[in-house]
Amino acid sequence: LSQNKPPLHYFDYFLKLDWEVAITHPGERAYRTADELIGAAAKQDEGKAPPSVTRNRLSAGTFKIKEFSSEEVPLDGQWQLA
């Protein structure tokens, strides 16, 4: 480490998106109300929340983005896409 050099700062960003796909008939509501979710949790073992806020979930998953970024700006001012 040199006291003459300016510090180099890096920022670590993490973005997590949860998604799910549900099926409903036209005019039906896909998501359950808070009261319906609490009722479903009360009926399950140990009062845990249901795995989904929908009644008819077909699929679900998580999409994660981890990004490292620096506060250094390129000389030309243009950032390259990775």
Side-chain angles (χ1 to χ4, degrees), residues 54-66:
T54 64
R55 288 189 183 93
N56 302 316
R57 180 173 74 172
L58 296 176
S59 183
T62 302
F63 183 71
K64 297 178 184 178
I65 301 171
K66 189 163 187 164

Side-chain angles (χ1 to χ4, degrees), residues 5-55:
K5 291 184 180 180
L8 181 63
H9 298 282
Y10 281 92
F11 303 94
D12 179 7
Y13 297 94
F14 183 75
L15 179 65
K16 178 181 174 186
L17 303 171
D18 294 324
W19 59 269
E20 60 185 18
V21 177
I23 188 168
T24 61
H25 294 287
E28 285 185 355
R29 183 173 33 94
Y31 290 92
R32 295 184 270 191
T33 65
D35 290 336
E36 291 171 327
L37 289 170
I38 292 169
K43 294 175 186 175
Q44 292 184 358
D45 295 332
E46 301 177 17
K48 293 183 180 178
S52 175
V53 296
T54 64
R55 288 189 183 93

Side-chain angles (χ1 to χ4, degrees), residues 68-81:
F68 293 97
S69 182
S70 170
E71 68 179 16
E72 290 184 7
V73 178
L75 295 176
D76 64 358
Q78 300 294 321
W79 293 97
Q80 292 183 1
L81 297 176

